[in-house]
Amino acid sequence: MSSTPEVYLDSASSARLHPAARETLLAALDRGYADPRRLHGPGRDARLLLDNARAVVAEALGAHPDEVGFTSSGTEAVHRGLLGLTAATGRDGIVHSAVEHSAVLHAAQWRESPAHASVAVDADGVVDLAALAAAAADPRVGAVALQAANQEVGTRQPVDAVELPAGVPLLVDAAAALGHVPLPRRWDALTASAHKWGGPAGVGVLAVRRGTRWTTPFPGDDGLDQPGFPDVPGALAAAAALQAVLGEREQVAARQHAQVERIRAAAAALPDVEVVGHPTERLPHLVTFSALYVAGDEIVAALAARGFGVASGSACTASTLEPSHVLAAMGALTHGNVRVSLARDTTDSQVDALCAALGAVVGEIRARAGL
């Protein structure tokens, strides 16, 4: 049996390389090899490609090109962005929702401030805005982090409704949302990761608005780009993929929303299965559900054997051996959890086959356990 599932339904972890990115990457490898900081011809050519990539991403974010930098990953973008905000303000406290990506949690832990605050969410994963604003009022707080949408359950946060004290900047993690839904307008710093929208892995985005106090928190030049040699072909391919997915976003999102509704209904119809996340304010391509009396990795393995590649949002990972902090914060079942995230080209027939397989798999696993 092939180790590669026939139907890939884990695009929230990483999307397949978009055809536009592949074509651009191959062309850019021949042109973007030189150091864009050099004044010779190949260097100027590489600089032009990098500037073009920056301009495309900036337009997608509603930002200016000089507000956008490229990093080696979305995680590095979060770390540089969030810690750079606190370094610039001189206040090391970080306030964040309880369901933020682990990159935010790790940045807060690394800073070790008594002013850190994790703000509760409701059963759908939506943050308490009043509590967020109250926590941000602590004079020791230097930044607030709130994701545009959650990578495990798909819930979108009401970012544009956030009200913070003057001088407290807001970092928005848009990694799960960019390319799938319109982004919030309210942000001082924003981060994203190209492999989530069909760009190459190893390219992150850090944007900081003009007028926002930010300084590099790590050794290196005081700029938004990561220190060291820039990945010009990667940045250009990421920009090409982003431009392409934004051009087709409405059409793809409409199809995916209808497909996810069918998966949600199929999962909810099974005995002792709960669909997790906000029912309407959510990403169009992602659905998560929890099944009692069944381990999430059992469902994932059984579906893989039938040709479907899905993820378990609650599975204890080999690196941490800890259940999902997102599901725990929502009060949801942290075991028996499965996340399905559709690709841009997932078909209706593939979704129908998954729905049929899902009921069979859960039933078989429970029957083997004598349930």
Side-chain angles (χ1 to χ4, degrees), residues 153-191:
V153 301
T155 296
R156 298 173 65 181
Q157 297 291 354
V159 177
D160 286 331
V162 171
E163 295 184 3
L164 300 178
V168 178
L170 174 66
L171 180 140
V172 171
D173 174 9
L178 184 55
H180 298 285
V181 293
L183 295 184
R185 297 179 299 276
R186 167 79 169 91
W187 55 270
D188 300 297
L190 182 143
T191 60

Side-chain angles (χ1 to χ4, degrees), residues 259-350:
Q259 291 172 334
V260 162
E261 282 296 332
R262 282 151 57 192
I263 301 173
R264 289 172 64 91
L270 298 176
D272 298 313
V273 173
E274 177 188 10
V275 178
V276 184
H278 201 285
T280 57
E281 293 300 316
R282 57 176 174 79
L283 295 173
H285 69 301
L286 190 156
V287 56
T288 297
F289 52 88
S290 297
L292 279 173
Y293 319 121
V294 183
D297 56 355
E298 286 185 287
I299 303 177
V300 169
L303 287 175
R306 292 171 178 256
F308 298 97
V310 302
S312 179
S314 66
C316 296
T317 64
S319 60
T320 64
L321 299 180
E322 294 179 357
S324 163
H325 69 278
V326 171
L327 297 169
M330 296 169 60
L333 184 68
T334 57
H335 296 278
N337 186 267
V338 173
R339 183 186 70 183
V340 177
S341 47
L342 307 181
R344 52 183 289 274
D345 56 355
T346 300
T347 65
D348 289 343
S349 61
Q350 289 172 334

Side-chain angles (χ1 to χ4, degrees), residues 76-95 104 107 110-111 140-146 164 167-173 186-191 206-218 222 224:
E76 188 198 12
V78 168
H79 290 170
R80 286 175 57 80
L82 197 53
L83 297 175
L85 292 174
T86 60
T89 59
R91 305 186 301 271
D92 58 6
I94 296 172
V95 172
V104 171
W110 188 73
R111 190 61 89 187
R140 299 171 297 175
V141 169
V144 172
L146 183 62
L164 300 178
V168 178
L170 174 66
L171 180 140
V172 171
D173 174 9
R186 167 79 169 91
W187 55 270
D188 300 297
L190 182 143
T191 60
L206 170 60
V208 179
R209 297 279 196 198
R210 292 174 180 173
T212 299
R213 296 175 61 191
W214 182 91
T215 186
T216 180
F218 307 127
D222 195 19
L224 295 175

Side-chain angles (χ1 to χ4, degrees), residues 17 19-32 233-234 236-237:
L17 193 66
R22 182 183 302 278
E23 180 181 350
T24 301
L25 181 62
L26 292 176
L29 288 172
D30 291 331
R31 290 188 56 198
L236 196 66

